Amino acid sequence: LKNKILGGWTGKSYGAMMGQPMEFAAQGEIYQGSLDIHPESPKVWLHNEDDLYTNMAFLEVLRDKGLDASQEDFADVFRQSKFMLWHANGQARQNLLAGIPPNLAGHPQYNPHADDIDFQIECDFIGIISPGLSKSANFICDKVGHIMNYGDGYYAGAFLSSLYTYAYLDTNIPNIIRRALKSIPAQCSYAKIINDILDWYDKNPDDWRKTWEKLEDKWNFDLCPWAKSDPPSRQGGIIEKFNIQGHFNGAYILIGLLYGKGDYLEAIKICTRCGQDTDSNVANCGGIMGIITGYRDLPLITKNELAPYMDRDYNFTSLSIESASSLSYDLAIKNICQNGGYISGD
């Protein structure tokens, strides 16, 4: 369990570093450039990555308040923190500071970014502390995810959290995806995208580009209010290929997982080449693959790159890869015991 948890946080961190330099460099096209880790990334950039400091800040809530932490406890992270937030997260912070209740801060009535990627990028901690416990993960998701997202934006995070829980139990990636799919409504758009990805993968199991093209043709439309819409097009006024929706970017995570065929580096490389919000998508993909692979079996290049920084706290938080992994282990044991599990011997 410790090995998998450390693999998850290490895998997510390395994935974020790979995807960061080309974030939104490829919109509606496959990224063709270098995938080398920028030499300054682990030294300067990684520990100011929002995908990680939001996860760590929420993890601190569970450390301080326990597994039964309230939605208000999690909302205080946004009210009181000094770190930068964007899209649904940024709007949620404004809503909370304006007095809108946490359960409505992500609602589309108050948050036009409700289906954006935000909950998906910061839900990893929920799945990581819930090994095999998809129901427990869903319960925590309901408290955290509606602070910033609703609808498919929420389902993206709920699905990914569930994906983490099953990644502890299985190495068959299509099977893990199908099991996690049961945690979101069958008729939501994200469930339909996931079924499309699985179907296209079955038909083209060795050519991720064909699946990417089908996804692009069918699903790449975005309603984010920050997208340009002049002149209007037939797709709701959006003419750019920029896409920050949670469920669309989540499909890139799945493409990486499926076509990586169980190889950590291959999975995050494919996910990076899919484009759009690469640092976030590749971080999520790397986290799932890190759980499946475990720290011991991660590529040597991944471990060597991060070795000097394993104890360095993420900015605005008191947690590093090492300390977050240790805390996640303690919380996972408590979560298991609260849900009918037990400790035998040591």
Side-chain angles (χ1 to χ4, degrees), residues 25-37:
Q27 301 176 21
E29 60 183 1
I30 291 172
Y31 175 74
Q32 305 288 359
S34 171
L35 297 179
D36 292 342
I37 301 296

Side-chain angles (χ1 to χ4, degrees), residues 179-242:
R179 294 177 78 180
L181 183 56
K182 297 177 182 178
S183 65
I184 61 175
Q187 294 306 310
C188 72
S189 291
Y190 194 27
K192 294 175 182 177
I193 289 177
I194 294 167
N195 281 317
D196 278 345
I197 295 291
L198 288 169
D199 179 55
W200 296 330
Y201 174 72
D202 286 342
K203 292 174 180 174
N204 293 292
D206 299 313
D207 189 350
W208 68 266
R209 288 174 174 81
K210 284 187 178 178
T211 293
W212 183 94
E213 289 169 359
K214 289 178 181 294
L215 176 71
E216 176 71 20
D217 291 343
K218 184 172 181 179
W219 288 103
N220 191 10
F221 53 90
D222 188 26
L223 301 179
C224 175
W226 290 1
K228 294 178 182 177
S229 56
D230 184 29
S233 76
R234 57 189 177 85
Q235 292 184 325
I238 305 303
I239 61 167
E240 281 197 336
K241 288 292 186 178
F242 166 84

Side-chain angles (χ1 to χ4, degrees), residues 208-321:
W208 68 266
R209 288 174 174 81
K210 284 187 178 178
T211 293
W212 183 94
E213 289 169 359
K214 289 178 181 294
L215 176 71
E216 176 71 20
D217 291 343
K218 184 172 181 179
W219 288 103
N220 191 10
F221 53 90
D222 188 26
L223 301 179
C224 175
W226 290 1
K228 294 178 182 177
S229 56
D230 184 29
S233 76
R234 57 189 177 85
Q235 292 184 325
I238 305 303
I239 61 167
E240 281 197 336
K241 288 292 186 178
F242 166 84
N243 197 311
I244 194 65
Q245 288 179 318
H247 58 323
F248 183 82
N249 281 273
Y252 290 158
I253 300 170
L254 301 184
I255 290 175
L257 292 174
L258 288 165
Y259 287 92
K261 309 288 188 184
D263 183 308
Y264 172 82
L265 283 177
E266 188 65 18
I268 63 172
K269 286 177 180 178
I270 290 171
C271 187
T272 305
R273 295 215 178 275
C274 286
Q276 299 290 355
D277 198 349
T278 46
D279 63 330
S280 299
N281 300 336
V282 186
N284 288 142
C285 183
I288 295 289
M289 285 304 305
I291 295 286
I292 293 171
T293 305
Y295 179 79
R296 283 190 298 270
D297 293 324
L298 282 174
L300 197 58
I301 188 174
T302 301
K303 292 187 281 190
N304 287 346
E305 192 83 62
L306 287 171
Y309 311 102
M310 297 292 281
D311 287 321
R312 179 180 169 183
D313 292 345
Y314 282 97
N315 288 354
F316 311 101
T317 81
S318 59
L319 294 174
S320 63
I321 296 173

Side-chain angles (χ1 to χ4, degrees), residues 41-119:
S41 283
K43 301 175 188 176
V44 176
W45 173 82
L46 175 61
H47 291 80
N48 197 38
E49 161 58 36
D50 61 325
D51 298 65
L52 283 146
Y53 61 59
T54 49
N55 262 285
M56 300 304 167
F58 286 136
L59 197 57
E60 288 175 323
V61 172
L62 295 179
R63 178 195 64 195
D64 299 338
K65 302 289 186 176
L67 290 170
D68 295 325
S70 69
Q71 190 173 54
E72 279 288 342
D73 293 327
F74 289 112
D76 278 340
V77 169
F78 280 7
R79 291 191 187 104
Q80 299 171 11
S81 59
K82 302 301 182 185
F83 49 66
M84 288 290 291
L85 294 170
W86 291 268
H87 287 268
N89 281 338
Q91 185 64 57
R93 173 184 276 166
Q94 293 181 49
N95 291 345
L96 291 166
L97 293 174
I100 293 171
N103 65 317
L104 293 176
H107 193 283
Q109 181 175 346
Y110 302 102
N111 196 329
H113 302 272
D115 64 351
D116 283 356
I117 199 172
D118 304 65
F119 181 40

